[in-house]
Amino acid sequence: MSRNRARDRAARAHMQATGARRARASRAVDTTTSNEPTLGSTAFLLDASIPIGRDHGLDDAASMEELFGALVARSAAFVERDGHPYSAYFEVHVVPPVGSRPGDAPDGWRNAAALVLVVARRPWHLDDEADDVVTDAYRAARETLHRYWPGLPEEHDHAALPMHLLAALRGRLTEEGAQALLQEMKDSALFRTRTLGADPEVDPANW
């Protein structure tokens, strides 16, 4: 990959994480070498199944969607790759399920979905890093959900779709179109939460 392409990829990730404008993001990336990890973010849609019944430990004022979102946000503490954990922060927007997956939810379960924004310091300039971070974050969320709600049949397992693929499937083929879809999904959220107690370096509340 050319240095300019790597710079553009890292700048986009930095923009998503910090909200910086393009020129500022490019300057921030230019202060590091092309091989250094930078602070950036990516996003994905988590298509999940949750029990139909109400959780016995749930507060009367809380919903199952809120519990689902909280579990996903908490799972940021378990993000790792090849046995090596790394610091991550999740901003979770529980959204209406986006259609039904093949086979739909099994008996006793119902569909749930969340837009998950992941912030981490990673080598975003690498070709597949954004998708690899999505995979890492998805695995952490999936295992957390399985631990809390065991028994989901394997053929109905939770699934993840990177935001850029979701945007393409919806005909949003430009960066501006993808960002507009991201905002639309945030605006449609039923519940929002975030990782509490995350590493201050990756927690936007500390910036």
Side-chain angles (χ1 to χ4, degrees), residues 36-156:
E36 286 182 342
T38 55
L39 190 65
S41 74
T42 189
F44 68 97
L45 177 69
L46 177 63
D47 189 7
S49 294
I50 63 176
I52 288 177
R54 187 174 177 80
D55 192 89
H56 63 85
L58 196 60
D59 185 274
D60 290 342
S63 68
M64 287 291 283
E65 282 75 15
E66 290 176 89
L67 178 55
F68 164 61
L71 289 169
V72 174
R74 188 185 307 167
S75 71
F78 306 108
V79 173
E80 56 91 18
R81 188 178 305 171
D82 299 327
H84 301 287
Y86 61 88
S87 297
Y89 167 92
F90 291 177
E91 179 183 304
V92 181
H93 300 258
V94 178
V95 296
V98 185
S100 298
R101 289 172 292 158
D104 223 339
D107 290 343
W109 300 77
R110 61 187 175 90
N111 290 335
L115 171 66
V116 184
L117 282 71
V118 186
V119 180
R121 183 174 290 279
R122 301 295 301 168
W124 296 101
H125 58 281
L126 298 179
D127 268 334
D128 298 323
E129 185 60 25
D131 286 342
D132 288 345
V133 169
V134 166
T135 299
D136 299 339
Y138 158 66
R139 286 174 176 166
R142 181 188 63 188
E143 293 307 311
T144 297
L145 293 172
H146 280 322
R147 283 194 299 269
Y148 196 86
W149 289 314
L152 181 66
E154 184 177 351
E155 62 269 25
H156 296 280

